Amino acid sequence: MRTTFIYIIFTLISSCSTDETKLEKALRLAGNNRHELEKVLHHYSQKPADSLQLHAARFIIENMPGHYTLAGKEIEQFKEKIHADTSVSYFAKKLLEISISNIESIQKNAQKTEDVENIKSEFLIRHIDRSIERFITCPWLRDIPIDIFMEYVLPYRFEHEQPELWIDSLRITPDAWKEINASGIAKYAAWNNIEKLDLTRSEPLFHKDQIIQWLQQDIYDMCQHSALKDLFKSRASALPATIDFIPNFANRNGFHYWNRIISPEIKKISMRGTLERKAAKIYRKTYSLQNEIIPLKGEYIPEFFQKSFYKDVSDGLGSPLLVA
């Protein structure tokens, strides 16, 4: 019944000319890789039963322009070090790759490889199939609106790391599933026990001193990277999540980033900091392209506001106070 309803809704949505234009733009930007993306759309357009997968494919592809992988000599050197340690889990290795791609000094010496020009059909199909499988089987996603699933569960990347099928390697352990099901309220157990959701191949982590030696800093003492760590675990656990951030406090210098679980069951956010800090604006990282700001002739637009994947959520969250 749910699948039939979703199919009807998606059929209506797919008739929107704005969406068609957005999708066609992405396919045009794909250049020689267009046939790979069209393979994905064709794969899911053969049967009405695949309507949910087709909608997911459209969402991913039409919002793909602007997402990219960073590559370069420095990043490759770090990756060699990361994967040379066979005692460390896949989770820790992939997390450090994600974090390295978000370090400004490393970004400056790297080259961009656009997803839309390089992502292959086999990768997207596998990722979409596994994501939809989670959508159907995870009780806490049962009543989640489809737009929340698309934006906060479906995306295949976190920052500018090399795309790979982490979704095949990381899943909730059988023991954690038993605990969720034994609670008697499986639909809500994941939201209420986020910290207890153990993942396969998620331990141990790199030794702290080893990371400091490589990067000359402890990145996980920084809120940006701590938030990435929490986001990676949340989404690998099929929890709708993203990163919210305050780029500048209203009453003092500084900024703050945190992992944000997106759920109708979580009405308020709580954050901890030092002293009293008030937010002027709160932004959210998205996978989907936000409205593009087109400057008037000769108008200067600060770099921050040229970002394609930041959404202003200040009105929705209010201006929280961070307390010690």
Side-chain angles (χ1 to χ4, degrees):
M1 183 69 178
R2 176 181 180 177
T3 303
T4 303
F5 174 75
I6 290 173
Y7 175 67
I8 293 171
I9 295 297
F10 291 167
T11 301
L12 293 174
I13 291 173
S14 66
S15 66
C16 176
S17 60
T18 301
D19 282 351
E20 289 294 333
T21 301
K22 193 175 179 181
L23 179 62
E24 181 56 36
K25 179 181 178 181
L27 293 174
R28 174 174 53 81
L29 291 173
N32 294 333
N33 196 50
R34 177 172 181 145
H35 70 286
E36 289 288 336
L37 304 183
E38 288 178 334
K39 275 186 194 178
V40 180
L41 298 171
H42 177 75
H43 176 79
Y44 292 124
S45 64
Q46 302 305 298
K47 299 180 294 184
D50 287 338
S51 60
L52 182 54
Q53 287 88 336
L54 178 60
H55 187 60
R58 287 173 58 92
F59 177 83
I60 286 181
I61 293 170
E62 68 187 16
N63 290 291
M64 194 178 287
H67 290 289
Y68 58 87
T69 298
L70 286 176
K73 183 178 179 181
E74 190 173 10
I75 289 178
E76 291 306 314
Q77 288 174 342
F78 278 123
K79 287 175 68 174
E80 287 180 10
K81 293 179 180 179
I82 290 170
H83 292 285
D85 192 334
T86 57
S87 66
V88 177
S89 69
Y90 172 80
F91 177 89
K93 291 179 180 181
K94 192 62 186 175
L95 173 63
L96 192 50
E97 278 190 41
I98 294 168
S99 295
I100 285 173
S101 74
N102 195 38
I103 296 176
E104 188 174 347
S105 60
I106 293 177
Q107 291 176 343
K108 290 179 179 178
N109 298 317
Q111 297 79 46
K112 294 181 181 180
T113 302
E114 296 290 339
D115 286 4
V116 75
E117 298 175 358
N118 292 277
I119 295 289
K120 302 306 177 187
S121 57
E122 292 84 357
F123 169 82
L124 275 187
I125 289 170
R126 179 62 180 173
H127 181 83
I128 291 169
D129 284 348
R130 292 286 284 113
S131 297
I132 298 301
E133 179 185 319
R134 292 177 170 204
F135 184 58
I136 294 170
T137 59
C138 294
W140 55 89
L141 296 178
R142 194 165 296 148
D143 297 323
I144 286 293
I146 191 65
D147 60 326
I148 289 182
F149 168 76
M150 295 291 172
E151 184 69 70
Y152 304 114
V153 181
L154 179 64
Y156 57 87
R157 69 156 59 256
F158 299 87
E159 282 293 334
H160 308 300
E161 74 283 358
Q162 178 70 39
E164 62 182 57
L165 290 169
W166 52 266
I167 199 167
D168 278 344
S169 298
L170 298 171
R171 57 188 178 276
I172 299 173
T173 63
D175 288 343
W177 266 112
K178 288 180 183 177
E179 185 173 345
I180 290 172
N181 292 324
S183 68
I185 50 171
K187 177 180 174 182
Y188 305 104
W191 306 120
N192 297 327
N193 296 280
I194 295 170
E195 70 283 351
K196 297 179 182 178
L197 286 179
D198 294 327
L199 296 173
T200 55
R201 301 175 63 186
S202 63
E203 294 292 343
L205 298 175
F206 283 97
H207 193 279
K208 180 178 179 179
D209 292 340
Q210 188 176 6
I211 296 178
I212 294 175
Q213 181 182 357
W214 289 348
L215 303 175
Q216 288 82 51
Q217 58 183 321
D218 182 5
I219 57 174
Y220 295 117
D221 271 352
M222 304 176 188
C223 60
Q224 305 100 307
H225 297 284
S226 179
L228 272 174
K229 179 180 178 180
D230 293 340
L231 172 63
F232 188 32
K233 180 177 180 180
S234 296
R235 196 172 291 167
S237 303
L239 292 171
T242 186
I243 290 178
D244 283 359
F245 65 101
I246 301 166
N248 299 101
F249 290 116
N251 60 339
R252 58 167 295 164
N253 293 333
F255 54 85
H256 189 56
Y257 290 71
W258 66 96
N259 179 48
R260 168 72 167 162
I261 301 296
I262 309 295
S263 168
E265 310 302 329
I266 301 176
K267 301 298 183 182
K268 296 182 180 180
I269 57 172
S270 60
M271 296 173 287
R272 300 189 65 81
T274 56
L275 305 177
E276 293 185 349
R277 302 179 181 182
K278 294 184 178 180
K281 282 287 188 179
I282 304 173
Y283 292 89
R284 176 167 296 164
K285 292 188 176 184
T286 65
Y287 175 80
S288 62
L289 292 159
Q290 302 303 302
N291 293 331
E292 183 181 3
I293 298 177
I294 301 176
L296 301 174
K297 185 176 181 180
E299 182 183 15
Y300 169 71
I301 304 294
E303 182 180 357
F304 179 86
F305 296 106
Q306 297 178 35
K307 303 290 185 181
S308 301
F309 306 106
Y310 290 170
K311 179 180 180 181
D312 187 341
V313 294
S314 305
D315 291 341
L317 297 180
S319 296
L321 184 69
L322 282 80
V323 295

